[in-house]
């Protein structure tokens, strides 16, 4: 099932919808949910609400997806987005070759997952503008990523049980201010500027994805292909990430884990090709849809 959060041209309160990207339609299912429930609450109570939506949503009136404004499927996560750095081999190499973060930067693969976070206020919709933040950063970069959405929480989750805790998947652009990332060493500021986490368009339940490792993560800038890699190229796979993060931190329903970006980011070019106002970044992941963001 593909869940969306949407509003209309009047700016009415956000609604929950079930989308069909094959037909380009969405069905408003808000009336089937407890008052005030959003996608996060649906995921939290999926064992009860999932069957209700599966049974009753197809009979509801449909409207064109392009007639509504899609927000991030989880517009405001309950806590920061978990993110993983340097998790594709070729990206580790390009980042190391750049020597950008420090002169002694290595191309060696990390021995353990590099985990950081993005503030919840960075999250924005899949077709919303991304702020350039002139005066704060001059080195804006894109990072296309598959993101995991936690369904059943827990601590000390084993690799073997990891997928039992995965509700589904979405797309995240881990927009990065490289100069802030370099200047502050810890990555929170460089990763968390407002609008620097486009998410969606859909939250896709895991039962729709037969083999997550076969999904292709791709990006383009102004129509020029930049990134393309299968999820199977991850250094640390989804079970390893879930096990590592949950070893001493309790994961909660609705938590989002961005799994890392492939090679082809702006910093990997010589010279670097950073984003500028007017640029358009498009990101897609097989089966999860496509997002499109303009830098302003």
């Amino acid at each position: 099932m593909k869940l969306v959060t949407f509003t209309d041209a009047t700016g009415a309160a956000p609604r929950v919808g079930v989308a069909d990207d094959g037909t380009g339609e969405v069905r408003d299912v808000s009336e089937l949910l407890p008052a005030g429930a959003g996608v996060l609450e649906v995921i939290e109570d999926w064992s009860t609400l999932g069957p209700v939506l599966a049974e009753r949503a197809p009979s509801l009136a449909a409207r064109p997806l392009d007639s509504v404004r899609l927000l991030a499927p989880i517009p405001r996560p309950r806590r920061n987005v978990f993110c993983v750095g340097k998790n594709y081999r070729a990206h580790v190499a390009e980042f190391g070759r750049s020597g950008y973060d420090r002169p002694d930067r290595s191309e060696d693969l990390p021995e353990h997952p590099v985990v950081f976070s993005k503030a919840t206020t960075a999250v924005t919709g899949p077709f919303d503008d991304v702020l350039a933040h002139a005066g704060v950063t001059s080195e804006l970069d894109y990072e296309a990523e598959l993101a995991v959405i936690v369904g059943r929480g827990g601590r000390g989750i084993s690799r073997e049980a990891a997928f039992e805790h995965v509700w589904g998947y979405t797309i995240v652009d881990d927009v990065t201010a490289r100069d802030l990332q370099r200047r502050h060493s810890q990555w929170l500021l460089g990763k968390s500027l407002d609008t620097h986490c486009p998410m969606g368009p859909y939250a896709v339940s895991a039962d729709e994805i037969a083999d997550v490792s076969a999904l292709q993560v791709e990006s383009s800038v102004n129509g020029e292909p930049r990134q393309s890699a299968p999820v199977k190229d991850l250094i640390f796979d989804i079970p390893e990430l879930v096990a590592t993060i949950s070893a001493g931190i309790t994961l909660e329903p609705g938590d989002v884990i961005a799994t890392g970006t492939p090679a082809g980011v702006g910093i990997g070019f010589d010279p670097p090709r950073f984003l500028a106002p007017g640029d358009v970044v498009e990101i897609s992941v097989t089966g999860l849809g496509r997002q499109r963001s303009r830098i302003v």
Side-chain angles (χ1 to χ4, degrees):
M1 189 177 297
K2 291 181 173 67
L3 299 180
V4 297
T5 301
F6 71 94
T7 187
D8 57 29
T10 68
R15 311 284 290 180
V16 176
V18 172
D20 185 334
D21 58 349
T23 63
E25 295 177 327
V26 61
R27 289 173 167 81
D28 187 343
V29 298
S30 298
E31 300 305 322
L32 303 179
L33 306 175
V39 169
L40 195 155
E41 287 75 22
V42 173
I43 291 168
E44 192 169 38
D45 195 17
W46 185 244
S47 62
T48 299
L49 297 177
V52 172
L53 297 182
E55 178 183 355
R56 299 180 60 185
S59 64
L60 299 177
R63 68 174 81 177
L65 266 169
D66 59 12
S67 71
V68 303
R69 178 192 170 203
L70 292 181
L71 309 179
I74 303 176
R76 183 62 64 89
R78 289 198 176 119
R79 59 179 173 182
N80 285 10
V81 176
F82 292 99
C83 300
V84 182
K86 301 195 296 184
N87 203 23
Y88 284 83
R89 289 170 176 80
H91 177 58
V92 173
E94 71 174 353
F95 206 56
R97 286 193 303 271
S98 74
Y100 191 75
D101 198 27
R102 57 181 67 91
D104 62 348
R105 174 162 290 284
S106 170
E107 295 181 40
D108 293 342
L109 300 183
E111 295 182 9
H112 306 282
V114 178
V115 181
F116 58 95
S117 74
K118 293 178 81 79
T120 59
T121 47
V123 174
T124 193
F127 304 108
D128 289 348
D129 292 337
V130 167
L131 298 177
H133 288 283
V136 177
T137 178
S138 61
E139 299 178 351
L140 199 61
D141 210 346
Y142 53 90
E143 295 193 359
E145 308 203 11
L146 166 74
V148 173
I149 302 174
V150 173
R152 181 160 62 89
R155 189 178 69 193
I157 301 167
S158 68
R159 278 187 54 91
E160 293 72 24
F163 281 115
E164 299 173 17
H165 295 260
V166 172
W167 176 86
Y169 307 96
T170 190
I171 301 172
V172 160
D173 182 359
D174 177 19
V175 181
T176 303
R178 296 295 185 194
D179 41 1
L180 297 185
Q181 183 184 27
R182 179 180 68 253
R183 184 182 308 151
H184 295 282
S185 298
Q186 296 292 331
W187 293 359
L188 181 69
L189 292 180
K191 296 286 190 173
S192 294
L193 299 184
D194 289 356
T195 74
H196 283 193
C197 188
M199 182 186 294
Y202 314 120
V204 181
S205 57
D207 59 289
E208 289 211 5
I209 306 300
D211 179 6
V212 68
S213 69
L215 303 187
Q216 196 78 8
V217 179
E218 297 184 317
S219 73
S220 67
V221 178
N222 301 326
E224 176 191 351
R226 292 287 180 89
Q227 297 176 279
S228 184
V231 173
K232 68 180 179 182
D233 285 356
L234 288 173
I235 299 170
F236 303 104
D237 61 11
I238 290 169
E240 186 68 18
L241 297 180
V242 170
T244 298
I245 295 170
S246 74
I249 298 174
T250 299
L251 289 176
E252 299 177 343
D255 277 345
V256 177
I257 304 172
T259 59
T261 199
V265 297
I267 197 177
F269 291 89
D270 186 14
R273 299 171 68 178
F274 295 122
L275 298 170
D279 286 344
V280 175
V281 180
E282 294 185 272
I283 293 174
S284 64
V285 177
T286 317
L288 306 185
R290 176 181 296 271
Q291 58 176 235
R292 184 179 190 273
S293 304
R294 182 179 296 275
I295 311 301
V296 299

